[in-house]
């Protein structure tokens, strides 16, 4: 059809399944198995619907201020969006506006190439090595910007801060985005590098470590200059991205640091225990510092295990893609959920091998 010629055509990102059945064990989208901080429940109950008559604060000021205080930054160094997907998408639009290709790892968050295609940004992927690690030399070629998650997804591999800095040092002329969606599960944040590098943007989210994937809150931190440019684009796109309840509820989550530290520590403990158990079952995996494990079995193909788990009501994530088609990404749930999974795997693998 003629009218179809000028349409912006894209191949969309496919998010993990959100099944309606509440009885399944859901380990497929890296959600947190624990509820949000108690103050969040209180804020939801005390919310006055009359407040919804008005537009929310366009600058997301309550949440920006709370995050700035928590991370010891100026409010002008913090930007909040509707999940880190919104923040990263806005950052692609703002910062990756050159002719040279942007760079990111070949095995990484599969939304990056979708945004690049959407905004017509040229891009090039750099292969992770055989241990799923970044080779910093790859990021010393001419480029229009850089993005990588740390820890990486779906591998869980954490790159040391020295490597992040090596990449920053080699790239003073472009924006370098470090996507720290999973940093709170034992990672090391690049935040201290903000003082030295005006071109660094650090992105984080409330979806995983703060148990609020359903509320959609993401944020990024950078120099005042970067955040200023990001706000210019945001206010040219949609003034009121974040709704009023999310702004108020998000503040409560930031306030309760003890709860945040306790739940993330619990997930780390479970992860380390599950690593040991999975090794006994014949799985190998890179040493994850995230809330998931990226595992392959020595004898049984990942696809078969994925399907068997699914039939047993245990959902994990599987991609039939080059290099990763023999791996499963398994989110760390509660101890009880993980034990159910491990018991199933033990029986299943005994029959399947
Ligand atoms: N970055 C990475 C690496 C992720 O895995 C995810 C989760 N899908 C996101 C960003 C986006 O998360 P959210 O929009 O929920 O903050």
């Amino acid at each position: 059809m003629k009218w179809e010629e000028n349409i912006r055509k894209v191949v969309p990102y496919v998010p993990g399944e959100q099944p309606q059945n509440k009885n399944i064990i859901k380990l497929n989208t890296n959600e947190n198995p624990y509820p949000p901080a108690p103050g969040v429940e209180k804020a939801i109950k005390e919310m006055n619907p009359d407040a919804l008559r008005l537009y929310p604060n366009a600058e997301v000021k309550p949440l920006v201020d709370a995050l700035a205080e928590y991370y010891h930054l100026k409010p002008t160094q913090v930007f909040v969006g509707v999940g880190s997907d919104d923040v990263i998408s806005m950052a692609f639009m703002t910062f990756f506006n050159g002719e040279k290709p942007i760079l990111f790892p070949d095995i990484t968050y599969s939304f990056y190439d979708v945004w690049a295609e959407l905004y017509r940004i040229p891009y090039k992927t750099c292969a992770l090595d055989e241990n799923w690690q970044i080779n910093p030399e790859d990021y010393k070629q001419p480029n229009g910007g850089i993005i990588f998650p740390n820890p990486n997804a779906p591998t869980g591999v954490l790159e040391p801060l020295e490597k992040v800095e090596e990449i920053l040092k080699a790239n003073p002329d472009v924006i370098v985005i470090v996507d720290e969606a999973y940093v709170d599960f034992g990672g090391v944040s690049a935040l201290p590098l903000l003082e030295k590098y005006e071109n660094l943007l650090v992105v984080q989210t409330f979806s995983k470590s703060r148990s609020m994937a359903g509320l959609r809150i993401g944020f990024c931190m950078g120099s005042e200059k970067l955040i200023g440019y990001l706000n210019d684009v945001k206010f040219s796109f949609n003034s009121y991205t974040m709704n009023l309840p999310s702004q108020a509820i998000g503040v409560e989550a930031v306030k309760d640091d003890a709860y945040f530290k306790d739940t993330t520590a619990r997930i780390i403990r479970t992860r380390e225990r599950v690593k040991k158990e999975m090794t006994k079952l014949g799985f190998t995996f890179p040493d994850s510092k995230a809330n998931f494990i990226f595992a392959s079995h020595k004898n049984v193909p990942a696809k078969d295990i994925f399907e068997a788990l699914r039939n047993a009501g245990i959902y994990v994530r599987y991609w039939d893609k080059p290099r990763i088609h023999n791996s499963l990404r398994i989110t760390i749930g509660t101890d009880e959920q993980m034990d159910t999974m491990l018991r199933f795997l033990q029986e299943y693998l005994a029959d399947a091998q």
Side-chain angles (χ1 to χ4, degrees):
M1 291 294 161
K2 189 96 182 123
W3 55 263
E4 281 185 296
E5 278 173 18
N6 293 328
I7 286 176
R8 183 178 292 266
K9 297 181 198 77
V10 284
V11 182
Y13 170 75
V14 183
E17 211 179 331
Q18 293 297 117
Q20 295 304 306
N21 179 357
K22 295 272 184 297
N23 294 323
I24 67 149
I25 295 182
K26 193 170 178 310
L27 308 175
N28 67 334
T29 47
N30 297 341
E31 288 142 328
N32 195 311
Y34 301 110
V40 167
E41 187 182 344
K42 192 162 169 278
I44 292 172
K45 285 194 176 137
E46 287 172 0
M47 200 159 285
N48 180 359
D50 188 55
L52 299 179
R53 288 187 303 104
L54 307 181
Y55 283 108
N57 185 293
E59 288 86 20
V60 200
K61 196 165 166 30
L63 201 43
V64 163
D65 287 352
L67 287 166
E69 196 185 323
Y70 186 83
Y71 290 103
H72 309 294
L73 296 167
K74 293 185 204 155
T76 43
Q77 291 185 273
V78 180
F79 174 90
V80 172
V82 185
S84 53
D85 280 343
D86 180 47
V87 174
I88 302 169
S89 152
M90 209 67 79
F92 267 57
M93 197 171 6
T94 311
F95 301 125
F96 297 158
N97 194 36
E99 316 227 301
K100 290 182 200 150
I102 61 162
L103 306 175
F104 47 84
D106 63 337
I107 305 301
T108 195
Y109 186 29
S110 45
F111 220 141
Y112 298 159
D113 57 345
V114 175
W115 285 312
E117 297 278 353
L118 172 67
Y119 298 130
R120 314 297 191 235
I121 301 164
Y123 66 95
K124 202 167 151 184
T125 59
C126 306
L128 296 175
D129 71 14
E130 63 284 3
N131 299 314
W132 307 113
Q133 272 160 356
I134 285 178
N135 178 359
E137 295 307 316
D138 293 342
Y139 295 83
K140 295 177 184 172
Q141 59 182 307
N143 69 77
I146 291 169
I147 181 165
F148 56 90
N150 199 28
N152 196 7
T155 62
V157 170
L158 177 74
E159 298 290 0
L161 210 48
E162 295 74 44
K163 208 190 266 189
V164 176
E165 182 156 18
E166 187 182 342
I167 292 170
L168 274 160
K169 258 197 195 132
N171 288 283
D173 299 336
V174 297
I175 306 306
V176 177
I177 303 177
V178 184
D179 177 354
E180 296 188 340
Y182 302 101
V183 78
D184 298 320
F185 302 102
V188 180
S189 176
L191 275 181
L193 298 177
L194 285 185
E195 276 181 23
K196 264 166 92 182
Y197 299 94
E198 209 181 26
N199 59 327
L200 165 65
L201 194 77
V202 176
V203 184
Q204 296 189 5
T205 177
F206 283 39
S207 297
K208 289 98 191 359
S209 55
R210 295 185 186 275
S211 305
M212 296 169 105
L215 213 58
R216 312 303 300 127
I217 304 178
F219 59 105
C220 65
M221 298 164 280
S223 60
E224 286 186 292
K225 250 188 175 167
L226 282 199
I227 299 302
Y229 282 121
L230 200 49
N231 270 311
D232 288 346
V233 168
K234 176 233 157 126
F235 282 102
S236 310
F237 190 78
N238 176 358
S239 317
Y240 305 106
T241 47
M242 172 143 297
N243 66 64
L244 190 123
S246 294
Q247 295 194 25
I249 297 163
V251 172
E252 294 305 318
V254 181
K255 274 193 206 157
D256 199 339
D257 196 37
Y259 183 86
F260 167 66
K261 296 227 163 87
D262 181 57
T263 44
T264 47
R266 247 201 270 183
I267 290 167
I268 292 169
R269 275 199 303 275
T270 307
R271 178 188 71 207
E272 295 308 310
R273 186 175 69 80
V274 172
K275 280 181 191 170
K276 288 192 192 123
E277 296 298 327
M278 289 189 66
T279 304
K280 283 187 216 159
L281 292 175
F283 285 95
T284 54
F285 39 82
D287 189 30
S288 170
K289 295 284 179 199
N291 66 337
F292 52 83
I293 295 174
F294 192 56
S296 306
H297 193 267
K298 62 179 180 359
N299 298 327
V300 185
K303 194 159 193 240
D304 294 357
I305 305 175
F306 167 74
E307 276 159 13
L309 281 167
R310 202 185 146 86
N311 291 336
I314 303 169
Y315 284 37
V316 301
R317 195 89 196 259
Y318 173 72
W319 291 272
D320 200 355
K321 282 189 180 174
R323 284 193 88 186
I324 60 170
H325 58 80
N326 199 28
S327 299
L328 297 171
R329 192 197 63 189
I330 304 170
T331 304
I332 303 299
T334 60
D335 278 309
E336 199 189 348
Q337 289 176 321
M338 301 319 279
D339 285 338
T340 306
M341 180 195 76
L342 291 165
R343 271 195 305 273
F344 174 82
L345 285 176
Q346 191 168 19
E347 280 176 30
Y348 168 74
L349 292 168
D351 292 344
Q353 291 181 79

